[in-house]
Amino acid sequence: LKKSALLAAAGGTPVALQLAGMSEAAAQVAGSDYKALVCIFLYGGNDAINTVVPFDSGRYNLYASRRQDIAWPGNQLTALSPLTALPFGMRFGLPTPLAPLADLFNNHHKLAVLMNVGPLARPGTNSSNWTNPAHEPPKLFSHNDQQSLWQSMRPEGDVSGWGGRLGDRVLASNSQGAFTCINAAGNAVFLSGKQVLPYTVNGGRAVVPESQVFGSTQLSGVMQQIATQTNAQHWFEIEHAQIMQRAIGNGARFNGSTGAAPEPPGFDSANPLAMQLQSVAKTIAARSALGVRRQVFFVAMGGFDTHADQADRHPLLLQRLGSAMKSFYDATVALGLADAVTTFTASDFGRTLTFNGSGTDHGWGAHHFVLGGAVNGRRFYGQAPLLQTNGTDIGFGTQDAGSGRLIPTTSIEQLGVRLGRWFGVPEAALTDPTSGVFPNARAFDLTTLNGLLA
């Protein structure tokens, strides 16, 4: 029954998605502080090479020669100035649409760049062994499966994501467990745990029964009365009525609490990602009324599968991303909670260095951003890929899986464990091979990202 409930929720049924937090969990987070993790998922596979661009003259020239018509002109890049220089004279820049993020990196020190992260079956993968099926993640370059690997650690079909499994570990720290995991972007496995389910909101509001059905208030009332009747005899009916009562009550509480919170300013109403993040900011502002101390959020935007017309499409996507992230960070500052909210990007995969004539094709590893007041910013984390020549070929050496596809050097597990530690989840609950949030984490060096968060 538990599995069938999770599967029903994964199918996107609006009412089912509201029935989160019905199980009990042992308290594992002490204190009365508040913390939130916010995942921004870029569906389609963001072109990380055109997002964090080689900027030193030698490697920029190699990049531009391989990328041709989609390469960013040098005068449209803002150099990132890390506190610690990268080896081999490597430098990187952000394109003009991401100028707000360049400012957060260079001047505010609240943005970090995580280099070449992605799904790995084991550490130390390189071009000599990545084609061994035992060494590579399953179903590489498949959108659905790589989205699932990023979100759940398993290919498509799994029913729990690591955001939800983190939610399981902190569930008892919230007096209202239903609001532990909030999905503002629609169906995704990331926030489905073993015990919690994502509480889905649409346009910043919970999905609740309509006040009118076919224009009739009376009919709506009758339907709610039937759904929540308490005089039933069959135990399925009794349990269903109790669930519906909780769902309706939770919806009213959520909408009332967030509706009373002030409207965070500075968000572009024409930017769908910004509107999702604005709803996250309002939810965080209502944290006390909602009875939560730990929350995991999921927001998303699509359009990153840029096989064609990349020169026209990708800059707009990056502009929306940079603007929305900056507005959200400013909102957390205004709330006095910048140190308590950590935001990170994720995507299906990166893309090829090779230009296909109009865009780029499916890749593997990619660069991502981590933003927040607790971030030790103005730094690169992980191993920066060394763009170089090999005879007449231009690529990433031993970290090249062909056509400039980056083989990741930092695993999702390494990132997830570091975020989980900051979130307050004990090490054993994160890395236990049997019951941990990241059961394969101990195969990797979990100290490499220690400095990422204060």
Side-chain angles (χ1 to χ4, degrees), residues 89-132:
M90 286 189 288
R91 298 183 67 201
F92 291 89
L94 299 186
T96 299
L98 292 178
L101 298 190
D103 179 60
L104 287 169
F105 184 97
N106 288 333
N107 300 320
H108 298 276
H109 304 189
K110 297 305 178 184
L111 182 81
V113 179
L114 185 60
M115 305 299 288
N116 193 16
V117 62
L120 284 172
R122 71 170 207 175
T125 305
N126 58 47
S127 59
S128 66
N129 66 16
W130 79 273
T131 54
N132 184 332

Side-chain angles (χ1 to χ4, degrees), residues 80-338:
L80 297 179
S81 302
L83 294 173
T84 302
L86 291 168
F88 309 110
M90 286 189 288
R91 298 183 67 201
F92 291 89
L94 299 186
T96 299
L98 292 178
L101 298 190
D103 179 60
L104 287 169
F105 184 97
N106 288 333
N107 300 320
H108 298 276
H109 304 189
K110 297 305 178 184
L111 182 81
V113 179
L114 185 60
M115 305 299 288
N116 193 16
V117 62
L120 284 172
R122 71 170 207 175
T125 305
N126 58 47
S127 59
S128 66
N129 66 16
W130 79 273
T131 54
N132 184 332
H135 298 165
E136 68 178 62
K139 301 183 179 180
L140 279 173
F141 318 130
S142 157
H143 283 294
N144 292 349
D145 292 292
Q146 298 311 300
Q147 289 164 12
S148 182
L149 275 170
W150 251 102
Q151 295 182 30
S152 73
M153 312 276 92
R154 298 176 184 86
E156 185 180 25
D158 197 55
V159 294
S160 80
W162 59 269
R165 297 195 295 267
L166 286 174
D168 288 339
R169 299 318 194 276
V170 300
L171 179 59
S173 66
N174 297 334
S175 62
Q176 291 293 319
F179 307 127
T180 301
C181 293
I182 306 287
N183 187 337
N187 190 28
V189 72
F190 180 70
L191 292 182
S192 292
K194 302 294 186 180
Q195 296 168 306
V196 302
L197 295 176
Y199 195 86
T200 300
V201 299
N202 184 5
R205 293 184 60 80
V207 179
V208 295
E210 297 290 341
S211 60
Q212 293 187 349
V213 175
F214 299 117
S216 169
T217 303
Q218 183 177 8
L219 178 56
S220 175
V222 170
M223 292 181 68
Q224 291 190 45
Q225 182 180 6
I226 293 171
T228 60
Q229 62 180 324
T230 57
N231 59 349
Q233 299 301 313
H234 193 285
W235 66 273
F236 259 132
E237 292 181 90
I238 296 170
E239 184 64 21
H240 179 267
Q242 292 173 349
I243 290 172
M244 289 301 299
Q245 287 172 350
R246 285 196 292 268
I248 293 171
N250 286 340
R253 178 168 183 167
F254 183 89
N255 289 339
S257 299
T258 57
E263 195 80 10
F267 288 87
D268 179 5
S269 61
N271 181 343
L273 180 63
M275 290 295 93
Q276 292 177 46
L277 286 171
Q278 185 185 55
S279 73
V280 172
K282 288 191 68 174
T283 304
I284 292 173
R287 64 198 179 280
S288 297
L290 292 174
V292 289
R293 296 197 295 111
R294 289 291 186 275
Q295 289 185 287
V296 188
F297 294 90
F298 183 85
V299 300
M301 61 184 297
F304 287 91
D305 194 20
T306 50
H307 291 284
D309 301 321
Q310 179 166 325
D312 295 325
R313 295 166 54 196
H314 198 233
L316 176 60
L317 294 170
L318 294 184
Q319 187 277 325
R320 289 176 174 172
L321 175 65
S323 171
M325 289 182 69
K326 177 61 163 60
S327 296
F328 181 66
Y329 176 74
D330 289 346
T332 65
V333 172
L335 289 170
L337 290 172

